[in-house]
Amino acid sequence: MQGNMMNQPLLISQIIQHAEQYHSQAEIVSRTVEGGIHRYTYRDAAARSRKLAKALSALGIQVGDSIGTLAWNTYRHYECYFGISGLGAVMNTINPRLFAEQMTYIVNHSRDRYIMVDANLLPLLEANAAGFETLEGYIVMTDRAHMPETRLDNVLCYEELIEGQDDDYEWPQFDENTAAALCYTSGTTGNPKGVLYSHRSTMIHAMAAAAPDALNISSRTSLLPVVPMFHVNAWGVPYAASMHGSKMVFPGPALDGASLWELIDAEQTNLLLGVPTVWLALLQYMDSIGKTLESVNTVVVGGSAAPESMIRTFHQKHGAFLLHAWGMTEMSPLGTLTTPTPHMDSLSDEDRYKLQTKQGKATFGVEMKILGEDGAELPHDGEAFGRLMVRGPWIVDSYFRTEGSALEDGWFDTGDVATIDPAGYMQIVDRSKDVIKSGGEWISSIDLENAAVGHPDVAEACVIGAAHPKWDERPLLLAVPVEGREVTLESVNSFLADKVAKWWLPDALIQVEALPHTATGKLHKVPLRETYYNYLNEQESAS
Ligand code: AMP
């Protein structure tokens, strides 16, 4: 027997309609690409999103067409979230840090008809334009006065485009399973893979993300998403915040510590979201000016593991709780969070910091299990580790325009290796391809890296498995020193001695000026393995 309730589709346009009606005065503040701060309300954003949808329709864009965006976090990119998806087209966010060939691949594979681009990113498109097969034109997200010189054809001005329309527009109604947004994973090998979110998956994810025991987003929140809108839709935060009328502060292209602090202070933001490297830079800057983050309650850290030293510093120096979150492009992205609980409150600071280094409990809507090498399910005892499998209504089923399912018996293999403890806290041991196999046992490169960055002379650390004649692989530490300092293996290993098992201690340390990162800011270990995989063998034969 079926229920008797309305079968109303969940559509992204409902978010901006709701925000306009019930949070019309709440503010959206942006640091602009042109320079300076822009400020308006959800009411203004809603009207401009309708104008954008009308303008795109006038260009011939229809349901199912793909429009690329190559842009920083600003109010215009925010308008694309609704203007493009709301009309039934697909917003294909493109990461400006991708290699040229990956960008060309994505534009062609998604069959983008137009790309909406920030003026200062236009050169990236100029460099690749010859390879674009389906593109009809470019829309530069600025006004006429700031339109850059370009040799590209059919370049339109965003402000002129929407000024040419009124905001009298009814959002169309369609099936909630219609595609809304497309984000490609920046795999370290092979072509990027497209994850095609639907209106339904985006809406359910945003509702779950806003919940008190998830990101706790409400009308009292003033949030700063440093996580880019081109990476998994800024973790779904623009949707979730608009549902609840949070004040939203977009940092534009300026992601350095000084610029972020200026916005945090001026706009009194209380919720920050971003990857660890961004917060390292902010914390260093705060130290250098001797100030603390007075308005901030919570810093959400995801994308890479949050080191314990960062958890401690946010709490002890800034009175802020580091909410560690884990997820991935294929999961929209939210999977787990270390939400503050009464149990956490009862712990000593030190025990709580330890718990916060775990990636957290699954948010409602996500199921997790871990599998051993034989494919059997492993116990949730906090010790056994295996392949982390997930399923849920906002998790990918198959990759875009790719044959076959992405699933294994209905579950998605995250590519992460993890433990789950009896309370349900999941902890990432490593990416399955990064784990170090030493004498038949596994060493977590992530744990070693996170412990090593606690050393006062280490600014950034990366651990890879290097070939070893006796143990198969042993850990090799590449370390970027804090400015003006030197790091040595002896000093780091004596620092690590009470933090990791003795047989985990790195066999060698190489001091480097910088470490390579992927387009999403994660350590890029592939080229390091290529260069250093035989380092220990070579040392051995040289001695
Ligand atoms: P992406 O799809 O680019 O967002 O990358 C997802 C991957 O980033 C995950 O599968 C993890 O390997 C890693 N990741 C994300 N969040 C965390 C976290 N909090 N701790 C450790 N690794 C993380």
Side-chain angles (χ1 to χ4, degrees), residues 40 45 48-49 52 75-83 158:
Y40 71 174
R48 282 168 56 92
S49 302
L52 175 60
Y75 66 103
R76 291 194 183 103
H77 203 176
Y78 174 80
E79 290 161 8
C80 294
Y81 271 48
F82 299 96
Y158 184 93

Side-chain angles (χ1 to χ4, degrees), residues 97 99 277 280 445 448-450 452-453 457-464 476-482 487 509-529 531-532:
R97 301 188 187 110
F99 299 121
T277 40
L280 273 181
S445 66
L448 274 176
E449 286 157 6
N450 282 344
V453 290
D457 296 336
V458 177
E460 198 180 6
C462 175
V463 176
I464 57 167
L476 171 66
L477 172 64
L478 295 123
V480 180
V482 168
V487 272
L509 180 150
I510 302 174
Q511 184 168 304
V512 291
E513 272 176 30
L515 288 164
H517 293 94
T518 66
T520 52
K522 299 185 210 308
L523 286 168
H524 193 11
K525 298 193 178 180
V526 174
L528 295 175
R529 271 195 286 264
T531 312
Y532 296 110

Side-chain angles (χ1 to χ4, degrees), residues 42-244:
Y42 280 103
R43 172 179 290 154
D44 304 322
R48 282 168 56 92
S49 302
R50 288 197 297 275
K51 288 181 176 194
L52 175 60
K54 257 182 127 164
L56 291 173
S57 304
L59 287 175
I61 300 302
Q62 296 182 353
V63 174
D65 285 345
S66 184
I67 307 274
T69 65
L70 184 67
W72 306 108
N73 292 12
T74 72
Y75 66 103
R76 291 194 183 103
H77 203 176
Y78 174 80
E79 290 161 8
C80 294
Y81 271 48
F82 299 96
I84 298 174
S85 303
L87 85 83
V90 177
M91 176 184 63
N92 168 218
T93 52
I94 305 169
N95 184 338
R97 301 188 187 110
L98 289 170
F99 299 121
E101 36 317 345
Q102 290 178 321
M103 187 178 291
T104 307
Y105 175 86
I106 287 173
V107 172
N108 292 337
H109 188 260
S110 61
R111 302 182 194 149
D112 285 338
R113 289 187 59 187
Y114 283 85
I115 297 183
M116 327 273 292
V117 55
D118 273 336
N120 68 350
L121 297 174
L122 195 61
L124 291 178
L125 296 179
E126 287 175 331
N128 297 324
F132 297 155
E133 291 160 6
T134 58
L135 216 61
E136 294 162 37
Y138 305 86
I139 300 170
V140 183
M141 295 210 273
T142 191
D143 54 19
R144 178 49 59 187
H146 293 91
M147 281 294 280
E149 286 280 313
T150 175
R151 53 191 166 78
L152 292 172
D153 292 331
N154 200 14
V155 179
L156 307 171
C157 166
Y158 184 93
E159 289 299 330
E160 277 181 359
L161 201 66
I162 66 170
E163 272 157 25
Q165 303 291 336
D166 60 39
D167 67 358
D168 182 15
Y169 179 76
E170 283 278 320
W171 293 108
Q173 300 296 303
F174 39 77
D175 184 334
E176 65 181 10
N177 291 301
T178 303
L182 175 60
C183 185
Y184 284 76
T185 61
S186 52
T188 44
T189 52
N191 282 326
K193 288 187 277 189
V195 181
L196 187 62
Y197 309 110
S198 67
H199 283 258
R200 174 188 150 83
S201 70
T202 306
M203 294 287 279
I204 302 178
H205 175 266
M207 288 191 258
D213 274 356
L215 299 177
N216 192 16
I217 287 176
S218 75
S219 58
R220 294 173 195 279
T221 310
S222 169
L223 58 89
L224 177 77
V226 182
V227 49
M229 293 171 86
F230 55 73
H231 186 207
V232 217
N233 303 328
W235 299 346
V237 161
Y239 306 114
S242 313
M243 285 176 172
H244 299 282

Side-chain angles (χ1 to χ4, degrees), residues 437-440 466-474 507 537 540:
K437 295 167 190 95
S438 172
H468 189 277
K470 180 165 174 204
W471 302 109
D472 286 342
E473 284 183 351
R474 288 293 303 155
D507 278 24
N537 283 335
E540 186 101 342

Side-chain angles (χ1 to χ4, degrees), residues 231 302-305 324-329 359 414 416 431 520 522:
H231 186 207
S304 302
H324 197 181
W326 165 88
M328 59 198 310
T329 307
Q359 277 69 13
T414 62
D416 288 325
R431 290 294 292 164
T520 52
K522 299 185 210 308

